[in-house]
Amino acid sequence: MSTVYEATVTAPVNIAVIKYWGKRDSALILPTNSSLSVTLSQDHLSTRTTIRASPEFTTDRLWLNGVEEDIAASKRLVNSITTARKLRKALELRQQNDGIATVPLSQWRIHVCSENNFPTAAGLASSASGYAALVSALGTLYKLPQTTSELSRVARVGSGSACRSMFGGFVAWQAGVADDGNDSLAVQVASREHWPELQALILVASDKKKAISSTAGMQTTVETSALFAERVRTVVPQRMEDMKAAIAARDFPRFAEITMRDSNQFHAVCLDTYPPISYMNDTSRAIAGLVHAFNASRGRVAAAYTYDAGPNAVIYALSTDMRDLVELVTYCFPREECVLPEAFYPDPFSVFASPDQAGLHLSDPAVVKLAETIGKFPAGSVRRIIHTEVGDGPRVLPASQSLLNDAGMPKRARE
Ligand code: DP6
């Protein structure tokens, strides 16, 4: 049997605590400011990607969640794949010069098969984990000698936030100053093991409207918002330093306050965009209010919300506070039981569906009082709750986990 040149990896989702919003170069995806994120566990949210290179393939092909997509139609996909191929080509040339036998993988077409372990219906963006998985798989397949930070530049040209998903734990994307983007890359600020008590609760808020994409929204912000210029010039540089110090010291109240303030400012800058952009809805705002009420009842900052370019909330809290928070959230945002069938929540990681959370009751009298004061929001305002934690970076899987069959076609394809 001839050798199969293939790699399968998984890559995580990340949620920024200092937001990336704005590009100084749209083609290379160079940001106007540095950003910092927390990588979430791949046990709950990840993209798995298999890439095979073969001299028998006639064209590059890609299947996303079982559906074939046109690679050539996406400049970003083409950019990422071409950049990785160039790195492989350089390696092959070096090997040839050194008299080392080399396989001409850079010349062969590839088949890419990619699947998310979370349903699209969860309303969570998957471009970060998707591009990080693509680049990790290419890096593994091509045996690229570049460091993870160097490879994060290749993920960055696919989608900015994807460069941060190349690492686990706490990750900074350094904006850089170079015109060619050489210094615009991700670095790990701290590993997952540094602060394993940090957990995240994702609240998927239903939203019928289609939001303005991050890519389009941030471009309009750069062009029209006066507040944005101030954010980039003074606020973010200081916050990056403060956030790194908070993480180094595992200072949750400090981490949490910066997280909430930065999310608030990001959404303020969106409202200052002309025409204004508004991503948060009534449920998002109610969740922010609930978090502040929770913190007030504890007499300390015990939880922090953050929102990206959509209404979903991510709440960070330490494990010691998480149970009370989950109880409070599930009381105040009841599930829409009568209307939606059970099959609507097929995922095992939703706390609604998880058996050990099924018998939730308000156990702490202070939480009971708080829940009664806040009251119940309309059932179904929060469609899904995902309880997860800080996670590791991309993982290389064994060949048995491949998404491609012997012929190099998806094992599971949808019509
Ligand atoms: C609000 O990375 O999706 O989530 O670079 O155009 O692909 P492109 O944008 P994208 O923007 C993410 C914006 C954000 C904040 C963040 O993740 O830092």
Side-chain angles (χ1 to χ4, degrees):
M1 223 183 93
S2 60
T3 315
V4 172
Y5 293 94
E6 185 185 279
T8 299
V9 306
T10 60
V13 164
N14 73 77
I15 299 293
V17 288
I18 306 282
K19 303 295 184 191
Y20 148 54
W21 194 253
K23 294 181 182 72
R24 60 188 162 88
D25 184 318
S26 306
L28 292 171
I29 310 199
L30 301 179
T32 48
N33 59 267
S34 296
S35 55
L36 202 148
S37 60
V38 178
T39 295
L40 301 184
S41 170
Q42 293 176 70
D43 296 345
H44 306 129
L45 302 166
S46 76
T47 300
R48 189 201 301 193
T49 296
T50 298
I51 305 187
R52 186 182 303 180
S54 164
E56 266 142 47
F57 295 159
T58 51
T59 163
D60 290 335
R61 295 179 74 178
L62 164 76
W63 292 265
L64 277 185
N65 296 316
V67 178
E68 182 155 19
E69 308 276 336
D70 181 8
I71 294 185
S74 162
K75 227 177 110 210
R76 289 161 170 238
L77 271 171
V78 172
N79 278 352
S80 298
I81 295 171
T82 310
T83 310
R85 271 205 177 108
K86 278 191 192 144
L87 297 175
R88 169 67 193 185
K89 181 78 193 158
L91 173 66
E92 289 169 7
L93 287 175
R94 280 200 303 277
Q95 289 179 332
Q96 276 162 18
N97 285 341
D98 296 347
I100 301 168
T102 182
V103 185
L105 294 181
S106 67
Q107 326 261 322
W108 297 352
R109 301 297 98 200
I110 53 172
H111 282 188
V112 182
C113 190
S114 194
E115 281 180 10
N116 298 327
N117 74 347
F118 50 98
T120 317
L124 301 161
S126 59
S127 67
S129 54
Y131 276 101
L134 177 86
V135 172
S136 302
L138 284 170
T140 308
L141 170 68
Y142 289 164
K143 296 196 167 47
L144 296 180
Q146 278 74 18
T147 63
T148 306
S149 275
E150 287 165 343
L151 284 180
S152 76
R153 290 189 296 230
V154 187
R156 191 204 71 222
V157 300
S159 179
S161 54
C163 71
R164 299 186 311 237
S165 277
M166 294 293 286
F167 287 100
F170 302 81
V171 188
W173 173 12
Q174 298 173 344
V177 290
D179 286 343
D180 66 358
N182 217 29
D183 54 356
S184 186
L185 39 74
V187 291
Q188 191 181 53
V189 167
S191 69
R192 164 181 64 160
E193 291 73 27
H194 170 71
W195 204 358
E197 299 80 14
L198 191 73
Q199 299 191 342
L201 199 65
I202 303 171
L203 308 186
V204 179
S206 38
D207 187 40
K208 310 280 178 296
K209 285 187 297 232
K210 191 166 164 26
I212 300 166
S213 76
S214 308
T215 310
M218 67 175 79
Q219 190 53 35
T220 318
T221 302
V222 173
E223 285 159 13
T224 62
S225 168
L227 201 60
F228 172 74
E230 187 57 17
R231 165 172 172 76
V232 168
R233 200 173 62 83
T234 60
V235 181
V236 173
Q238 185 62 50
R239 276 194 188 148
M240 284 295 290
E241 293 317 306
D242 293 348
M243 182 55 97
K244 283 185 209 163
I247 292 167
R250 289 186 284 261
D251 181 343
F252 185 81
R254 199 162 170 217
F255 167 90
E257 185 174 328
I258 302 169
T259 297
M260 290 187 280
R261 283 180 180 275
D262 202 70
S263 174
N264 293 342
Q265 188 176 72
F266 155 50
H267 291 279
V269 154
C270 287
L271 277 186
D272 190 47
T273 299
Y274 191 81
I277 307 167
S278 119
Y279 287 122
M280 291 168 69
N281 64 16
D282 286 351
T283 305
S284 323
R285 284 184 284 274
I287 293 165
L290 177 143
V291 168
H292 283 294
F294 183 69
N295 290 343
S297 83
R298 301 241 140 166
R300 60 188 166 86
V301 186
Y305 54 77
T306 186
Y307 303 81
D308 282 339
N312 301 336
V314 176
I315 307 180
Y316 289 112
L318 296 178
S319 48
T320 39
D321 288 308
M322 196 44 107
R323 190 172 177 89
D324 285 344
L325 190 67
V326 170
E327 288 186 357
L328 182 63
V329 166
T330 46
Y331 175 90
C332 296
F333 293 95
R335 180 179 172 172
E336 200 170 21
E337 257 158 328
C338 331
V339 183
L340 296 170
E342 190 66 27
F344 201 76
Y345 303 96
D347 58 319
F349 54 83
S350 160
V351 296
F352 285 139
S354 153
D356 64 336
Q357 304 274 6
L360 273 183
H361 59 285
L362 297 166
S363 40
D364 179 336
V367 179
V368 176
K369 205 166 146 237
L370 179 59
E372 282 165 2
T373 312
I374 297 173
K376 285 184 192 286
F377 287 87
S381 312
V382 169
R383 278 197 293 138
R384 190 185 293 263
I385 303 184
I386 299 162
H387 177 198
T388 187
E389 58 197 354
V390 187
D392 58 354
R395 301 173 186 166
V396 177
L397 301 188
S400 58
Q401 302 291 305
S402 171
L403 296 171
L404 294 170
N405 63 21
D406 291 346
M409 297 298 283
K411 285 179 180 164
R412 282 190 294 148
R414 261 187 273 149
E415 287 309 307

